[in-house]
mmCIF file of all heavy atoms in Angstrom:
data_model
loop_
_atom_site.group_PDB
_atom_site.id
_atom_site.type_symbol
_atom_site.label_atom_id
_atom_site.label_comp_id
_atom_site.label_asym_id
_atom_site.label_seq_id
_atom_site.Cartn_x
_atom_site.Cartn_y
_atom_site.Cartn_z
ATOM 1 N N GLN A 1 117.287 77.176 74.350
ATOM 2 C CA GLN A 1 117.585 77.687 75.661
ATOM 3 C C GLN A 1 116.834 78.983 75.914
ATOM 4 O O GLN A 1 116.281 79.242 76.974
ATOM 5 C CB GLN A 1 118.962 77.941 75.829
ATOM 6 C CG GLN A 1 119.559 78.500 77.147
ATOM 7 C CD GLN A 1 121.030 78.776 77.254
ATOM 8 O OE1 GLN A 1 121.680 78.656 76.123
ATOM 9 N NE2 GLN A 1 121.556 78.954 78.472
ATOM 10 N N GLN A 2 116.815 79.858 74.824
ATOM 11 C CA GLN A 2 116.105 81.158 75.049
ATOM 12 C C GLN A 2 114.681 81.011 75.181
ATOM 13 O O GLN A 2 114.020 81.711 75.932
ATOM 14 C CB GLN A 2 116.442 82.086 73.764
ATOM 15 C CG GLN A 2 117.838 82.636 73.725
ATOM 16 C CD GLN A 2 118.170 83.421 74.979
ATOM 17 O OE1 GLN A 2 117.431 84.326 75.265
ATOM 18 N NE2 GLN A 2 119.275 83.053 75.706
ATOM 19 N N MET A 3 114.046 80.066 74.462
ATOM 20 C CA MET A 3 112.642 79.746 74.632
ATOM 21 C C MET A 3 112.368 79.367 76.078
ATOM 22 O O MET A 3 111.342 79.766 76.688
ATOM 23 C CB MET A 3 112.272 78.631 73.632
ATOM 24 C CG MET A 3 112.216 79.160 72.195
ATOM 25 S SD MET A 3 111.808 77.808 71.037
ATOM 26 C CE MET A 3 110.140 77.387 71.623
ATOM 27 N N GLY A 4 113.193 78.531 76.568
ATOM 28 C CA GLY A 4 113.043 78.093 78.028
ATOM 29 C C GLY A 4 113.187 79.187 78.993
ATOM 30 O O GLY A 4 112.352 79.324 79.865
ATOM 31 N N PHE A 5 114.186 80.054 78.684
ATOM 32 C CA PHE A 5 114.379 81.282 79.539
ATOM 33 C C PHE A 5 113.201 82.170 79.422
ATOM 34 O O PHE A 5 112.694 82.693 80.446
ATOM 35 C CB PHE A 5 115.659 82.047 79.079
ATOM 36 C CG PHE A 5 115.856 83.328 79.710
ATOM 37 C CD1 PHE A 5 116.390 83.374 81.034
ATOM 38 C CD2 PHE A 5 115.558 84.489 79.086
ATOM 39 C CE1 PHE A 5 116.543 84.544 81.676
ATOM 40 C CE2 PHE A 5 115.696 85.707 79.737
ATOM 41 C CZ PHE A 5 116.242 85.781 80.994
ATOM 42 N N ASN A 6 112.622 82.383 78.290
ATOM 43 C CA ASN A 6 111.499 83.339 78.020
ATOM 44 C C ASN A 6 110.338 82.679 78.772
ATOM 45 O O ASN A 6 109.519 83.494 79.363
ATOM 46 C CB ASN A 6 111.206 83.448 76.625
ATOM 47 C CG ASN A 6 112.255 84.337 75.896
ATOM 48 O OD1 ASN A 6 112.961 85.027 76.511
ATOM 49 N ND2 ASN A 6 112.300 84.220 74.531
ATOM 50 N N GLU A 7 110.151 81.455 78.679
ATOM 51 C CA GLU A 7 108.956 80.825 79.397
ATOM 52 C C GLU A 7 109.082 80.974 80.926
ATOM 53 O O GLU A 7 108.120 81.280 81.582
ATOM 54 C CB GLU A 7 108.909 79.354 79.064
ATOM 55 C CG GLU A 7 108.481 79.013 77.637
ATOM 56 C CD GLU A 7 108.495 77.634 77.303
ATOM 57 O OE1 GLU A 7 108.940 76.744 78.176
ATOM 58 O OE2 GLU A 7 108.096 77.199 76.165
ATOM 59 N N ARG A 8 110.352 80.746 81.458
ATOM 60 C CA ARG A 8 110.506 80.959 82.773
ATOM 61 C C ARG A 8 110.311 82.394 83.255
ATOM 62 O O ARG A 8 109.785 82.771 84.334
ATOM 63 C CB ARG A 8 111.949 80.562 83.245
ATOM 64 C CG ARG A 8 112.091 79.058 83.238
ATOM 65 C CD ARG A 8 113.434 78.628 83.892
ATOM 66 N NE ARG A 8 114.621 79.251 83.304
ATOM 67 C CZ ARG A 8 115.239 78.729 82.234
ATOM 68 N NH1 ARG A 8 114.865 77.553 81.748
ATOM 69 N NH2 ARG A 8 116.398 79.303 81.823
ATOM 70 N N THR A 9 110.809 83.362 82.374
ATOM 71 C CA THR A 9 110.649 84.824 82.690
ATOM 72 C C THR A 9 109.157 85.211 82.654
ATOM 73 O O THR A 9 108.661 85.930 83.468
ATOM 74 C CB THR A 9 111.438 85.704 81.597
ATOM 75 O OG1 THR A 9 112.843 85.252 81.608
ATOM 76 C CG2 THR A 9 111.303 87.082 81.889
ATOM 77 N N GLU A 10 108.384 84.664 81.588
ATOM 78 C CA GLU A 10 107.003 84.977 81.516
ATOM 79 C C GLU A 10 106.285 84.413 82.759
ATOM 80 O O GLU A 10 105.395 85.099 83.380
ATOM 81 C CB GLU A 10 106.417 84.392 80.268
ATOM 82 C CG GLU A 10 106.891 85.146 79.021
ATOM 83 C CD GLU A 10 106.378 84.444 77.767
ATOM 84 O OE1 GLU A 10 105.609 83.403 77.932
ATOM 85 O OE2 GLU A 10 106.665 84.952 76.668
ATOM 86 N N ALA A 11 106.671 83.229 83.172
ATOM 87 C CA ALA A 11 106.041 82.596 84.367
ATOM 88 C C ALA A 11 106.289 83.470 85.608
ATOM 89 O O ALA A 11 105.438 83.722 86.505
ATOM 90 C CB ALA A 11 106.564 81.235 84.584
ATOM 91 N N ARG A 12 107.599 83.998 85.694
ATOM 92 C CA ARG A 12 107.992 84.811 86.820
ATOM 93 C C ARG A 12 107.190 86.189 86.831
ATOM 94 O O ARG A 12 106.742 86.632 87.796
ATOM 95 C CB ARG A 12 109.510 85.053 86.850
ATOM 96 C CG ARG A 12 110.020 85.714 88.110
ATOM 97 C CD ARG A 12 111.477 85.833 87.994
ATOM 98 N NE ARG A 12 112.156 84.516 88.057
ATOM 99 C CZ ARG A 12 112.894 84.029 86.984
ATOM 100 N NH1 ARG A 12 112.978 84.861 85.890
ATOM 101 N NH2 ARG A 12 113.449 82.916 87.016
ATOM 102 N N MET A 13 107.067 86.669 85.617
ATOM 103 C CA MET A 13 106.266 87.955 85.407
ATOM 104 C C MET A 13 104.903 87.786 85.771
ATOM 105 O O MET A 13 104.205 88.620 86.403
ATOM 106 C CB MET A 13 106.452 88.491 83.992
ATOM 107 C CG MET A 13 107.863 89.030 83.666
ATOM 108 S SD MET A 13 108.322 90.401 84.706
ATOM 109 C CE MET A 13 107.090 91.670 84.173
ATOM 110 N N ASP A 14 104.277 86.607 85.397
ATOM 111 C CA ASP A 14 102.950 86.354 85.753
ATOM 112 C C ASP A 14 102.716 86.227 87.267
ATOM 113 O O ASP A 14 101.767 86.734 87.850
ATOM 114 C CB ASP A 14 102.451 84.991 85.104
ATOM 115 C CG ASP A 14 102.277 85.068 83.595
ATOM 116 O OD1 ASP A 14 102.158 86.277 83.181
ATOM 117 O OD2 ASP A 14 102.302 84.013 82.900
ATOM 118 N N ARG A 15 103.702 85.557 87.959
ATOM 119 C CA ARG A 15 103.613 85.509 89.394
ATOM 120 C C ARG A 15 103.792 86.857 90.054
ATOM 121 O O ARG A 15 103.099 87.186 90.991
ATOM 122 C CB ARG A 15 104.695 84.536 89.980
ATOM 123 C CG ARG A 15 104.524 83.034 89.608
ATOM 124 C CD ARG A 15 105.374 82.232 90.465
ATOM 125 N NE ARG A 15 106.781 82.493 90.217
ATOM 126 C CZ ARG A 15 107.576 81.836 89.328
ATOM 127 N NH1 ARG A 15 106.975 80.915 88.486
ATOM 128 N NH2 ARG A 15 108.847 82.150 89.204
ATOM 129 N N LEU A 16 104.708 87.722 89.441
ATOM 130 C CA LEU A 16 104.848 89.072 89.919
ATOM 131 C C LEU A 16 103.649 89.845 89.719
ATOM 132 O O LEU A 16 103.169 90.618 90.644
ATOM 133 C CB LEU A 16 106.052 89.677 89.258
ATOM 134 C CG LEU A 16 106.471 91.144 89.679
ATOM 135 C CD1 LEU A 16 106.694 91.215 91.167
ATOM 136 C CD2 LEU A 16 107.548 91.654 88.846
ATOM 137 N N GLU A 17 103.051 89.779 88.588
ATOM 138 C CA GLU A 17 101.805 90.459 88.260
ATOM 139 C C GLU A 17 100.698 90.056 89.213
ATOM 140 O O GLU A 17 99.874 90.950 89.729
ATOM 141 C CB GLU A 17 101.413 90.156 86.817
ATOM 142 C CG GLU A 17 100.659 91.288 86.122
ATOM 143 C CD GLU A 17 100.442 91.040 84.710
ATOM 144 O OE1 GLU A 17 101.402 91.104 83.917
ATOM 145 O OE2 GLU A 17 99.332 90.714 84.355
ATOM 146 N N SER A 18 100.598 88.749 89.522
ATOM 147 C CA SER A 18 99.549 88.262 90.426
ATOM 148 C C SER A 18 99.857 88.865 91.894
ATOM 149 O O SER A 18 98.967 89.216 92.539
ATOM 150 C CB SER A 18 99.596 86.783 90.467
ATOM 151 O OG SER A 18 98.659 86.255 91.394
ATOM 152 N N HIS A 19 101.098 88.825 92.218
ATOM 153 C CA HIS A 19 101.478 89.408 93.548
ATOM 154 C C HIS A 19 101.147 90.867 93.644
ATOM 155 O O HIS A 19 100.556 91.360 94.607
ATOM 156 C CB HIS A 19 103.007 89.248 93.773
ATOM 157 C CG HIS A 19 103.410 89.696 95.135
ATOM 158 N ND1 HIS A 19 103.020 89.146 96.367
ATOM 159 C CD2 HIS A 19 104.293 90.708 95.451
ATOM 160 C CE1 HIS A 19 103.529 89.826 97.227
ATOM 161 N NE2 HIS A 19 104.282 90.748 96.835
ATOM 162 N N VAL A 20 101.417 91.667 92.586
ATOM 163 C CA VAL A 20 101.122 93.101 92.578
ATOM 164 C C VAL A 20 99.683 93.254 92.649
ATOM 165 O O VAL A 20 99.057 94.201 93.327
ATOM 166 C CB VAL A 20 101.739 93.763 91.325
ATOM 167 C CG1 VAL A 20 101.221 95.171 91.222
ATOM 168 C CG2 VAL A 20 103.205 93.796 91.453
ATOM 169 N N SER A 21 98.835 92.481 91.910
ATOM 170 C CA SER A 21 97.433 92.562 91.853
ATOM 171 C C SER A 21 96.850 92.282 93.264
ATOM 172 O O SER A 21 95.927 93.046 93.702
ATOM 173 C CB SER A 21 96.865 91.599 90.852
ATOM 174 O OG SER A 21 95.448 91.623 90.930
ATOM 175 N N GLY A 22 97.445 91.280 93.943
ATOM 176 C CA GLY A 22 97.032 91.057 95.364
ATOM 177 C C GLY A 22 97.385 92.183 96.272
ATOM 178 O O GLY A 22 96.528 92.560 97.131
ATOM 179 N N LEU A 23 98.524 92.795 96.079
ATOM 180 C CA LEU A 23 98.876 93.968 96.895
ATOM 181 C C LEU A 23 97.911 95.149 96.661
ATOM 182 O O LEU A 23 97.477 95.838 97.592
ATOM 183 C CB LEU A 23 100.278 94.359 96.595
ATOM 184 C CG LEU A 23 101.422 93.566 97.066
ATOM 185 C CD1 LEU A 23 102.762 94.064 96.589
ATOM 186 C CD2 LEU A 23 101.469 93.394 98.659
ATOM 187 N N ASN A 24 97.535 95.402 95.372
ATOM 188 C CA ASN A 24 96.585 96.428 95.080
ATOM 189 C C ASN A 24 95.243 96.156 95.652
ATOM 190 O O ASN A 24 94.582 97.094 96.139
ATOM 191 C CB ASN A 24 96.488 96.583 93.504
ATOM 192 C CG ASN A 24 97.766 97.160 92.911
ATOM 193 O OD1 ASN A 24 98.524 97.914 93.579
ATOM 194 N ND2 ASN A 24 97.917 96.901 91.647
ATOM 195 N N ALA A 25 94.885 94.890 95.635
ATOM 196 C CA ALA A 25 93.555 94.575 96.229
ATOM 197 C C ALA A 25 93.608 94.769 97.686
ATOM 198 O O ALA A 25 92.604 95.241 98.348
ATOM 199 C CB ALA A 25 93.193 93.097 95.864
ATOM 200 N N GLY A 26 94.727 94.349 98.272
ATOM 201 C CA GLY A 26 94.832 94.592 99.743
ATOM 202 C C GLY A 26 94.842 96.082 100.113
ATOM 203 O O GLY A 26 94.208 96.434 101.108
ATOM 204 N N GLN A 27 95.560 96.909 99.270
ATOM 205 C CA GLN A 27 95.591 98.299 99.583
ATOM 206 C C GLN A 27 94.165 98.843 99.439
ATOM 207 O O GLN A 27 93.717 99.814 100.219
ATOM 208 C CB GLN A 27 96.544 99.028 98.589
ATOM 209 C CG GLN A 27 96.504 100.514 98.789
ATOM 210 C CD GLN A 27 97.533 101.162 97.815
ATOM 211 O OE1 GLN A 27 98.236 100.477 97.002
ATOM 212 N NE2 GLN A 27 97.635 102.495 97.913
ATOM 213 N N THR A 28 93.419 98.429 98.396
ATOM 214 C CA THR A 28 92.018 98.894 98.209
ATOM 215 C C THR A 28 91.185 98.568 99.459
ATOM 216 O O THR A 28 90.408 99.365 99.906
ATOM 217 C CB THR A 28 91.408 98.273 96.905
ATOM 218 O OG1 THR A 28 92.186 98.658 95.832
ATOM 219 C CG2 THR A 28 89.975 98.766 96.696
#
């Protein structure tokens, strides 16, 4: 269960990181 949770968390963090990167690019 924890492995699945960690995978979902990592995927969510990846999406968040991608979103933040997009925001930074937009701000630039």
Side-chain angles (χ1 to χ4, degrees):
Q1 182 183 11
Q2 288 301 308
M3 290 177 62
F5 175 77
N6 289 339
E7 289 176 357
R8 291 193 300 274
T9 301
E10 289 177 0
R12 189 176 296 113
M13 289 299 294
D14 289 341
R15 290 195 299 271
L16 179 60
E17 213 173 282
S18 176
H19 181 64
V20 170
S21 178
L23 288 176
N24 289 337
Q27 181 179 358
T28 300

